[in-house]
Amino acid sequence: MSKKTKKKKPIEIDSEFSERNYTIVGALFSGSVAYLVFASQSAYQEVDLTQLRLATLLIFAAILPFQGAYLIIHTYVQRYKEFLNQQKMLTLTKLAERCRIISYLSVVGFTLSLINIDEIIGFTFIVSVASVIILVRWSWNQGLSTKPIENDFD
């Protein structure tokens, strides 16, 4: 398929507002709030706040509103879906998608907090995450490359 004939991928409204996405962002939101509350308290007591610790707190503080916005948009769409026209749904879907993607950056803050504890813990986490991503991608592609057999679930 050439670049000229390549079609834009349609935005899938229903998949953006799935329970899975809501649960993931909710968990990230809870973790971000918890980290900000507890780490801020301990940072307040520190005499010399490290730059890495400050960067971690800034990341969580910057991402928290995007996580909250996603949760609010998701709840709004679930409640008023039948009253929203196609254009409003498309706008809310794009906005929610961007907020959700930015929300995932809280994992960077979590990684920095692990590096702040000890570099080897942080780098071990990074290697593990990369390994899991590669394993899942490989497994997913293996599953997609073969056609399912009719009695595959027996």
Side-chain angles (χ1 to χ4, degrees):
M1 184 182 278
S2 69
K3 289 182 181 178
K4 290 181 181 178
T5 60
K6 190 174 183 181
K7 293 181 180 180
K8 256 187 157 176
K9 182 182 172 191
I11 295 178
E12 297 178 21
I13 292 172
D14 290 336
S15 66
E16 180 60 42
F17 297 108
S18 68
E19 286 301 311
R20 179 190 60 139
N21 285 343
Y22 186 81
T23 303
I24 290 170
V25 174
L28 292 171
F29 180 78
S30 301
S32 297
V33 168
Y35 187 83
L36 276 175
V37 168
F38 294 117
S40 297
Q41 274 299 339
S42 64
Y44 179 74
Q45 296 170 359
E46 285 182 32
V47 176
D48 187 26
L49 187 63
T50 65
Q51 293 298 316
L52 188 58
R53 181 102 180 235
L54 181 61
T56 303
L57 290 169
L58 288 173
I59 288 171
F60 280 114
I63 290 172
L64 196 62
F66 290 96
Q67 293 169 339
Y70 176 84
L71 296 172
I72 291 168
I73 293 167
H74 184 281
T75 303
Y76 179 82
V77 167
Q78 292 300 316
R79 182 165 183 152
Y80 299 108
K81 187 185 292 188
E82 64 272 3
F83 301 113
L84 300 173
N85 63 31
Q86 185 67 25
Q87 182 59 42
K88 287 181 182 176
M89 279 298 289
L90 189 62
T91 301
L92 289 171
T93 300
K94 287 180 181 180
L95 181 59
E97 182 180 38
R98 290 180 181 130
C99 287
R100 182 177 50 84
I101 290 169
I102 292 170
S103 294
Y104 291 156
L105 293 176
S106 64
V107 175
V108 173
F110 180 69
T111 304
L112 290 177
S113 70
L114 292 176
I115 291 171
N116 190 45
I117 293 170
D118 191 271
E119 289 179 1
I120 193 70
I121 295 172
F123 292 123
T124 301
F125 179 73
I126 292 169
V127 169
S128 295
V129 167
S131 300
V132 166
I133 290 170
I134 291 168
L135 179 66
V136 168
R137 286 288 198 175
W138 177 79
S139 298
W140 184 260
N141 288 334
Q142 291 296 324
L144 291 178
S145 65
T146 59
K147 290 185 178 182
I149 301 170
E150 192 172 313
N151 295 330
D152 211 15
F153 297 107
D154 289 337

